[in-house]
Amino acid sequence: MGRAAAFLAALFCAGPVLADPQSEVLFSHKAWQVMAVAFDDGSISCDAEVSDPGESFSIWIHQDGSVQLVFFSSQWDFGEGDRANLQVEIDRRSPWRLTDAELYQQSVLFGLSDADAGARFINEVARGNVLYLRTEEGEDVQSYSLAGSRAAIDALFQCGDALPATSPSNPFKN
């Protein structure tokens, strides 16, 4: 994925002079798009997103190595600061429990802090056909097609591998 590396290098060199987030689509397949996104603070992330009008599910890899799930709906209005427990089920496999997910405006955000569990979850997404977002009690909220997810996840990881490493803001801390 030389295109990702070249785009990311150009964004990294631009640094914090960017006024608004800039993005470039690096890969499209079926319902998925993989993008490199540069933010006005100089950070760069990779995003794999499957969407329908007004709805989306994204997996983000950030420059610091963190991985985040984002569910979006134009119909939601959470405000700021609420949290919730929810379930995600891929096809008809056992549901994943996302505890203490952040509800922010029209999005549900959840960081995959456990690397092993996160890898298993992303692998399940890559093999899956449909992802179901549900309440903690198991009531359906939204579903997302995962058609083309294997190729999109591969492109996401290629993009993530091309992200420049971040340097610590405090050189005296590890």
Side-chain angles (χ1 to χ4, degrees), residues 83-88 96-102 109-111 113 136:
R83 306 203 73 82
N85 298 329
L86 45 108
Q87 293 182 26
V88 171
W96 292 85
R97 305 224 182 268
L98 307 185
T99 57
D100 204 29
E102 180 183 357
L109 306 128
F110 185 79
S113 56
E136 183 175 22

PDB file of all heavy atoms in Angstrom, residues 83-88 96-102 109-111 113 136:
ATOM      1  N   ARG A  83     -22.664   7.414  29.361  1.00  0.00           N
ATOM      2  CA  ARG A  83     -22.007   6.138  29.094  1.00  0.00           C
ATOM      3  C   ARG A  83     -23.074   5.052  29.131  1.00  0.00           C
ATOM      4  O   ARG A  83     -24.115   5.212  29.745  1.00  0.00           O
ATOM      5  CB  ARG A  83     -20.927   5.883  30.123  1.00  0.00           C
ATOM      6  CG  ARG A  83     -19.954   7.082  30.159  1.00  0.00           C
ATOM      7  CD  ARG A  83     -18.608   6.807  30.674  1.00  0.00           C
ATOM      8  NE  ARG A  83     -17.624   6.079  29.967  1.00  0.00           N
ATOM      9  CZ  ARG A  83     -16.811   6.552  29.024  1.00  0.00           C
ATOM     10  NH1 ARG A  83     -16.952   7.764  28.574  1.00  0.00           N
ATOM     11  NH2 ARG A  83     -15.868   5.822  28.526  1.00  0.00           N
ATOM     12  N   ALA A  84     -22.783   3.930  28.457  1.00  0.00           N
ATOM     13  CA  ALA A  84     -23.746   2.832  28.431  1.00  0.00           C
ATOM     14  C   ALA A  84     -23.004   1.516  28.211  1.00  0.00           C
ATOM     15  O   ALA A  84     -21.912   1.494  27.637  1.00  0.00           O
ATOM     16  CB  ALA A  84     -24.765   3.033  27.320  1.00  0.00           C
ATOM     17  N   ASN A  85     -23.625   0.449  28.631  1.00  0.00           N
ATOM     18  CA  ASN A  85     -23.169  -0.903  28.313  1.00  0.00           C
ATOM     19  C   ASN A  85     -24.011  -1.383  27.140  1.00  0.00           C
ATOM     20  O   ASN A  85     -25.207  -1.106  27.085  1.00  0.00           O
ATOM     21  CB  ASN A  85     -23.350  -1.835  29.508  1.00  0.00           C
ATOM     22  CG  ASN A  85     -22.530  -1.400  30.700  1.00  0.00           C
ATOM     23  OD1 ASN A  85     -21.461  -0.819  30.553  1.00  0.00           O
ATOM     24  ND2 ASN A  85     -23.026  -1.680  31.881  1.00  0.00           N
ATOM     25  N   LEU A  86     -23.393  -2.081  26.206  1.00  0.00           N
ATOM     26  CA  LEU A  86     -24.134  -2.570  25.057  1.00  0.00           C
ATOM     27  C   LEU A  86     -23.561  -3.887  24.578  1.00  0.00           C
ATOM     28  O   LEU A  86     -22.558  -4.354  25.113  1.00  0.00           O
ATOM     29  CB  LEU A  86     -24.153  -1.534  23.937  1.00  0.00           C
ATOM     30  CG  LEU A  86     -22.836  -0.835  23.598  1.00  0.00           C
ATOM     31  CD1 LEU A  86     -22.293  -1.323  22.287  1.00  0.00           C
ATOM     32  CD2 LEU A  86     -23.097   0.641  23.530  1.00  0.00           C
ATOM     33  N   GLN A  87     -24.213  -4.460  23.602  1.00  0.00           N
ATOM     34  CA  GLN A  87     -23.770  -5.714  23.004  1.00  0.00           C
ATOM     35  C   GLN A  87     -23.543  -5.517  21.507  1.00  0.00           C
ATOM     36  O   GLN A  87     -24.245  -4.734  20.871  1.00  0.00           O
ATOM     37  CB  GLN A  87     -24.837  -6.806  23.152  1.00  0.00           C
ATOM     38  CG  GLN A  87     -25.108  -7.274  24.532  1.00  0.00           C
ATOM     39  CD  GLN A  87     -26.149  -8.392  24.524  1.00  0.00           C
ATOM     40  OE1 GLN A  87     -26.312  -9.119  23.537  1.00  0.00           O
ATOM     41  NE2 GLN A  87     -26.850  -8.523  25.625  1.00  0.00           N
ATOM     42  N   VAL A  88     -22.586  -6.255  20.998  1.00  0.00           N
ATOM     43  CA  VAL A  88     -22.364  -6.335  19.561  1.00  0.00           C
ATOM     44  C   VAL A  88     -22.316  -7.820  19.214  1.00  0.00           C
ATOM     45  O   VAL A  88     -21.593  -8.585  19.846  1.00  0.00           O
ATOM     46  CB  VAL A  88     -21.052  -5.635  19.157  1.00  0.00           C
ATOM     47  CG1 VAL A  88     -20.725  -5.924  17.704  1.00  0.00           C
ATOM     48  CG2 VAL A  88     -21.129  -4.146  19.409  1.00  0.00           C
ATOM     49  N   TRP A  96     -20.527  -9.814  21.971  1.00  0.00           N
ATOM     50  CA  TRP A  96     -19.461  -9.126  22.678  1.00  0.00           C
ATOM     51  C   TRP A  96     -20.117  -8.092  23.588  1.00  0.00           C
ATOM     52  O   TRP A  96     -21.046  -7.407  23.179  1.00  0.00           O
ATOM     53  CB  TRP A  96     -18.545  -8.409  21.682  1.00  0.00           C
ATOM     54  CG  TRP A  96     -17.753  -9.343  20.825  1.00  0.00           C
ATOM     55  CD1 TRP A  96     -18.161  -9.935  19.670  1.00  0.00           C
ATOM     56  CD2 TRP A  96     -16.427  -9.780  21.058  1.00  0.00           C
ATOM     57  NE1 TRP A  96     -17.163 -10.720  19.170  1.00  0.00           N
ATOM     58  CE2 TRP A  96     -16.078 -10.639  19.997  1.00  0.00           C
ATOM     59  CE3 TRP A  96     -15.484  -9.518  22.050  1.00  0.00           C
ATOM     60  CZ2 TRP A  96     -14.835 -11.244  19.905  1.00  0.00           C
ATOM     61  CZ3 TRP A  96     -14.241 -10.122  21.958  1.00  0.00           C
ATOM     62  CH2 TRP A  96     -13.927 -10.977  20.897  1.00  0.00           C
ATOM     63  N   ARG A  97     -19.633  -7.953  24.779  1.00  0.00           N
ATOM     64  CA  ARG A  97     -20.147  -6.955  25.716  1.00  0.00           C
ATOM     65  C   ARG A  97     -19.191  -5.776  25.720  1.00  0.00           C
ATOM     66  O   ARG A  97     -18.011  -5.928  26.015  1.00  0.00           O
ATOM     67  CB  ARG A  97     -20.263  -7.544  27.109  1.00  0.00           C
ATOM     68  CG  ARG A  97     -21.100  -8.809  27.106  1.00  0.00           C
ATOM     69  CD  ARG A  97     -22.074  -8.859  28.240  1.00  0.00           C
ATOM     70  NE  ARG A  97     -22.825 -10.103  28.233  1.00  0.00           N
ATOM     71  CZ  ARG A  97     -23.989 -10.252  27.633  1.00  0.00           C
ATOM     72  NH1 ARG A  97     -24.526  -9.266  26.983  1.00  0.00           N
ATOM     73  NH2 ARG A  97     -24.626 -11.401  27.659  1.00  0.00           N
ATOM     74  N   LEU A  98     -19.710  -4.624  25.361  1.00  0.00           N
ATOM     75  CA  LEU A  98     -18.924  -3.388  25.387  1.00  0.00           C
ATOM     76  C   LEU A  98     -19.373  -2.594  26.608  1.00  0.00           C
ATOM     77  O   LEU A  98     -20.438  -1.973  26.584  1.00  0.00           O
ATOM     78  CB  LEU A  98     -19.127  -2.591  24.095  1.00  0.00           C
ATOM     79  CG  LEU A  98     -18.881  -3.338  22.779  1.00  0.00           C
ATOM     80  CD1 LEU A  98     -19.013  -2.391  21.599  1.00  0.00           C
ATOM     81  CD2 LEU A  98     -17.529  -4.022  22.761  1.00  0.00           C
ATOM     82  N   THR A  99     -18.596  -2.656  27.651  1.00  0.00           N
ATOM     83  CA  THR A  99     -18.982  -1.989  28.896  1.00  0.00           C
ATOM     84  C   THR A  99     -18.421  -0.575  28.938  1.00  0.00           C
ATOM     85  O   THR A  99     -17.293  -0.323  28.528  1.00  0.00           O
ATOM     86  CB  THR A  99     -18.498  -2.772  30.131  1.00  0.00           C
ATOM     87  OG1 THR A  99     -17.080  -2.938  30.057  1.00  0.00           O
ATOM     88  CG2 THR A  99     -19.150  -4.146  30.199  1.00  0.00           C
ATOM     89  N   ASP A 100     -19.245   0.324  29.408  1.00  0.00           N
ATOM     90  CA  ASP A 100     -18.864   1.716  29.620  1.00  0.00           C
ATOM     91  C   ASP A 100     -18.504   2.427  28.309  1.00  0.00           C
ATOM     92  O   ASP A 100     -17.559   3.216  28.252  1.00  0.00           O
ATOM     93  CB  ASP A 100     -17.715   1.807  30.627  1.00  0.00           C
ATOM     94  CG  ASP A 100     -17.658   3.156  31.319  1.00  0.00           C
ATOM     95  OD1 ASP A 100     -18.721   3.794  31.478  1.00  0.00           O
ATOM     96  OD2 ASP A 100     -16.543   3.583  31.694  1.00  0.00           O
ATOM     97  N   ALA A 101     -19.263   2.165  27.254  1.00  0.00           N
ATOM     98  CA  ALA A 101     -19.059   2.856  25.976  1.00  0.00           C
ATOM     99  C   ALA A 101     -19.478   4.319  26.137  1.00  0.00           C
ATOM    100  O   ALA A 101     -20.425   4.631  26.864  1.00  0.00           O
ATOM    101  CB  ALA A 101     -19.877   2.197  24.875  1.00  0.00           C
ATOM    102  N   GLU A 102     -18.770   5.196  25.476  1.00  0.00           N
ATOM    103  CA  GLU A 102     -19.072   6.628  25.544  1.00  0.00           C
ATOM    104  C   GLU A 102     -20.161   6.978  24.534  1.00  0.00           C
ATOM    105  O   GLU A 102     -20.061   6.617  23.356  1.00  0.00           O
ATOM    106  CB  GLU A 102     -17.816   7.446  25.262  1.00  0.00           C
ATOM    107  CG  GLU A 102     -18.044   8.936  25.317  1.00  0.00           C
ATOM    108  CD  GLU A 102     -16.806   9.750  24.971  1.00  0.00           C
ATOM    109  OE1 GLU A 102     -15.725   9.155  24.727  1.00  0.00           O
ATOM    110  OE2 GLU A 102     -16.914  10.979  24.938  1.00  0.00           O
ATOM    111  N   LEU A 109     -18.827   5.454  21.131  1.00  0.00           N
ATOM    112  CA  LEU A 109     -17.391   5.253  20.988  1.00  0.00           C
ATOM    113  C   LEU A 109     -16.918   4.222  22.011  1.00  0.00           C
ATOM    114  O   LEU A 109     -17.318   4.279  23.182  1.00  0.00           O
ATOM    115  CB  LEU A 109     -16.648   6.571  21.219  1.00  0.00           C
ATOM    116  CG  LEU A 109     -17.141   7.716  20.347  1.00  0.00           C
ATOM    117  CD1 LEU A 109     -17.473   8.928  21.187  1.00  0.00           C
ATOM    118  CD2 LEU A 109     -16.113   8.046  19.319  1.00  0.00           C
ATOM    119  N   PHE A 110     -16.071   3.316  21.554  1.00  0.00           N
ATOM    120  CA  PHE A 110     -15.560   2.292  22.453  1.00  0.00           C
ATOM    121  C   PHE A 110     -14.130   1.955  22.073  1.00  0.00           C
ATOM    122  O   PHE A 110     -13.853   1.585  20.928  1.00  0.00           O
ATOM    123  CB  PHE A 110     -16.425   1.023  22.394  1.00  0.00           C
ATOM    124  CG  PHE A 110     -16.023  -0.016  23.393  1.00  0.00           C
ATOM    125  CD1 PHE A 110     -16.413   0.102  24.722  1.00  0.00           C
ATOM    126  CD2 PHE A 110     -15.237  -1.095  23.021  1.00  0.00           C
ATOM    127  CE1 PHE A 110     -16.027  -0.847  25.657  1.00  0.00           C
ATOM    128  CE2 PHE A 110     -14.851  -2.049  23.947  1.00  0.00           C
ATOM    129  CZ  PHE A 110     -15.247  -1.925  25.276  1.00  0.00           C
ATOM    130  N   GLY A 111     -13.210   2.093  23.012  1.00  0.00           N
ATOM    131  CA  GLY A 111     -11.808   1.752  22.790  1.00  0.00           C
ATOM    132  C   GLY A 111     -11.552   0.286  23.052  1.00  0.00           C
ATOM    133  O   GLY A 111     -12.015  -0.261  24.059  1.00  0.00           O
ATOM    134  N   SER A 113      -9.224  -1.775  24.424  1.00  0.00           N
ATOM    135  CA  SER A 113      -8.021  -1.666  25.251  1.00  0.00           C
ATOM    136  C   SER A 113      -7.317  -3.006  25.461  1.00  0.00           C
ATOM    137  O   SER A 113      -6.115  -3.034  25.686  1.00  0.00           O
ATOM    138  CB  SER A 113      -8.360  -1.030  26.601  1.00  0.00           C
ATOM    139  OG  SER A 113      -9.366  -1.774  27.244  1.00  0.00           O
ATOM    140  N   GLU A 136     -27.786  -3.310  26.206  1.00  0.00           N
ATOM    141  CA  GLU A 136     -27.219  -4.238  27.181  1.00  0.00           C
ATOM    142  C   GLU A 136     -28.131  -5.456  27.367  1.00  0.00           C
ATOM    143  O   GLU A 136     -27.669  -6.571  27.588  1.00  0.00           O
ATOM    144  CB  GLU A 136     -27.022  -3.526  28.515  1.00  0.00           C
ATOM    145  CG  GLU A 136     -26.382  -4.367  29.587  1.00  0.00           C
ATOM    146  CD  GLU A 136     -26.096  -3.587  30.853  1.00  0.00           C
ATOM    147  OE1 GLU A 136     -26.726  -2.537  31.094  1.00  0.00           O
ATOM    148  OE2 GLU A 136     -25.226  -4.045  31.617  1.00  0.00           O
TER     149      GLU A 136
END
